Structure formats: C-alpha cells, structure tokens
Amino acid sequence: MSESPFTDLDRPPLSQAALSRALVRPGGLWSGVTVVDRAGSTNADLAERARAGEGEGAVLIAEAQFAGRGRLGRAWTAPPRSGLTFSVLLRPEVPVARQGWLPLLFGVAAASAVRRVAEIDVRLKWPNDLLVGERKLAGILAERAEDGAVVVGMGLNVSLRPDELPVDTATSIAIEHDGKAKNGRPAAGDERHSLDERARATDRDPLIRAILREIESHYREWQSADGDADACGLRAAYQASSATIGREVRVELPGGRFLTGVAAGVDASGHLQVGDRTLNAGDVVHLRPSSQH
C-alpha cells in the first residue's frame, strides 16, 4: 500500500492542476505539466514521450524517483516530496554546436530563481551543479532524444534533513535556512519569524513556478539569438554566477587522467577553459587556494 502524500505535513504534495493553471498559457513555452507519485527516471520517461512525438514544453515532475541518474551514471535518490525532481522536453531550433549551453542555461535560471525565492546564495559549479558554499544543492542532466529533442532534468534538495542527505557534501534549502537562523541567533520572540521564513523557503510550489518561468525567459532569449550565448547575455550571466571560474580546480578526465589548473572561464560553446586547455566534459573538483594547503 502506498504512503499517503499527506503523511508528512511538512512535505505536502504538489498540485498538477494548480501548476498547469499557473504555467500553461497560449503562446507560452510550457505545453503541459504532469505530476506523478513515482517515476523511475523523469528524464527517461520524458525521452520516451519525445520518441512518441511529444511536442516541446512538456514538464514531468515526480514526487519520488527510484532510478534517477546524475552525470557519469551516479544515482540520485531522496525521500518522497523532499525535493523537486523534474524534467522538461525541449526542441531547440538552434545549431547543434550551440546546444551544449542548455544545461548551463538551466543552471543560470534555476540558481536565479532559488536565490530570489529561498534567499540563499546559490552558485554554479561547471558544468551542471548548484552549490551553496561547497555543498551540492542540485544537479542537472541534459540528454539528447530522437528527432532533435533534448530532455533536461533537475534534482533539487528542498526539505531534506541532515540524516537524509545522500552524501555529506550535499545540502538542502531547509538545512541552509536552519544554519542561517542558528548563526544569526534570533532573539527571543523571533523564533516564530524564523520558522515562517523557513516554511516559505521550502514551499515547493512557488519554487517550481519560479524555476520554470526563469527557464522559459532564458530559453526564449537564447533561441531568439540563435543560440549565441554572448548575444543573449547567457555567457556573462553564467560566469557571474560561477563558483568554478577563478578557482584552482582538478578536472578528472576519461581514462583515469586528470588536469589541474585555474579555471579561467567558459568559451562561446560553454566549454571550461583551464590553463591552455578547453574541456567539453570532465568531473571538476574545486581545490583550496594554495595558501590554505
């Protein structure tokens, strides 16, 4: 017997009807919002719909995901309704060489929305992670489907508690707000305000609305510029939000190789520039400044 979505009152279910009314409109990007209780992988399920002819703008949100995947085949799991696990189907009409910007565009949009709604300082780790400090808040995975479709998925930790984190280098919006309240040491009588602020920050409904609206805005501008990340301001926005650029990094490459150097920026294709090398893939580790070794 499946668990009632109202068992954990701190984690209410999302309303498909309410999200559809808020996000689906004539002339808009989002053509339909589907919320399911469980999914193996929202990316895989939406890619299957793309192969069956689904149009651009479909959004699939899973309250729980049991076969989620991150980069390099890593598993992505979280308790039901503790985060936002969703994928979108896009059919970009820009040159394929410029479509590598999609996961970075997604990151810029999501970081902007989370900063505004949750009021925490979110930064981007190349190519596809959202960080608070050095802890991972969210991951993004873009995959190409058939007939020019691209599915982009995201897993964002919202209300996870410390004992629920998959790894000790992860975090959640709730944990970050608890940390702010603790460090700020609210005065007597301010505790209720801190709890109200935390509840607002971890309400998934306004979060997903804000993220999808930001994605639509950035995607429209990028498409209008034919995928030119400089012309639409995407490269500048990405670099301004980056936690990687300017840092000494170690990039783990295929075949057990690695490269160490300072991340100087991203090029016009969204590739990371490290020293005199330009990388289109790799697992980045932020290194401490040499003065801290």
Side-chain angles (χ1 to χ4, degrees):
M1 186 174 179
S2 63
E3 177 194 9
S4 166
F6 296 98
T7 301
D8 188 339
L9 297 180
D10 288 333
R11 293 170 175 168
L14 292 168
S15 167
Q16 176 176 306
L19 291 175
S20 296
R21 285 194 301 269
L23 295 165
V24 179
R25 67 187 194 282
L29 174 61
W30 307 121
S31 57
V33 178
T34 304
V35 180
V36 297
D37 288 336
R38 298 178 78 241
S41 160
T42 54
N43 262 29
D45 290 353
L46 207 48
E48 187 66 31
R49 286 166 54 178
R51 286 189 284 272
E54 181 87 42
E56 181 173 63
V59 180
L60 177 61
I61 306 170
E63 296 287 42
Q65 185 172 245
F66 57 87
R69 295 164 292 122
R71 287 186 66 249
L72 307 179
R74 295 179 180 127
W76 179 277
T77 59
R81 303 177 306 283
S82 64
L84 285 171
T85 304
F86 67 99
S87 298
V88 304
L89 171 59
L90 303 172
R91 295 185 180 275
E93 296 179 357
V94 304
V96 172
R98 293 175 171 176
Q99 292 182 17
W101 274 102
L102 276 172
L104 281 68
L105 180 155
F106 213 91
V108 168
S112 175
V114 173
R115 276 196 295 269
R116 185 175 69 255
V117 175
E119 298 183 347
I120 55 177
D121 186 23
V122 183
R123 298 289 160 181
L124 300 170
K125 176 184 172 186
W126 188 90
N128 65 347
D129 288 346
L130 274 65
L131 303 181
V132 180
E134 287 299 311
R135 295 186 178 276
K136 182 174 177 176
L137 183 70
I140 297 164
L141 180 65
E143 299 179 290
R144 190 169 298 282
E146 294 177 9
D147 300 324
V150 179
V151 175
V152 189
M154 181 179 190
L156 170 68
N157 296 331
V158 179
S159 66
L160 271 79
R161 298 178 279 270
D163 62 333
E164 295 174 325
L165 295 174
V167 294
D168 60 9
T169 53
T171 190
S172 71
I173 291 173
I175 289 169
E176 294 303 318
H177 266 269
D178 289 347
K180 281 171 57 179
K182 181 179 179 181
N183 294 334
R185 294 187 297 278
D190 286 348
E191 290 84 355
R192 181 69 260 169
H193 175 76
S194 296
L195 289 171
D196 289 344
E197 185 182 70
R198 180 186 189 273
R200 285 194 300 272
T202 56
D203 186 340
R204 295 182 304 145
D205 182 278
L207 274 169
I208 187 66
R209 295 186 192 203
I211 290 169
L212 289 171
R213 285 169 176 154
E214 285 278 353
I215 292 170
E216 178 173 7
S217 175
H218 284 280
Y219 183 71
R220 294 294 200 201
E221 292 171 358
W222 177 72
Q223 284 245 95
S224 295
D226 198 32
D228 186 328
D230 285 313
C232 66
L234 178 57
R235 179 154 70 141
Y238 181 86
Q239 296 194 140
S241 292
S242 175
T244 300
I245 295 170
R247 294 284 298 274
E248 184 180 0
V249 299
R250 183 176 73 248
V251 186
E252 298 172 1
L253 304 170
R257 298 172 298 126
F258 68 90
L259 171 69
T260 301
V262 174
V266 293
D267 70 7
S269 298
H271 300 161
L272 185 67
Q273 298 166 312
V274 179
D276 60 356
R277 298 278 301 276
T278 299
L279 307 172
N280 63 3
D283 209 22
V284 171
V285 177
H286 290 165
L287 302 177
R288 293 183 179 183
S290 57
S291 61
Q292 295 183 17
H293 279 221

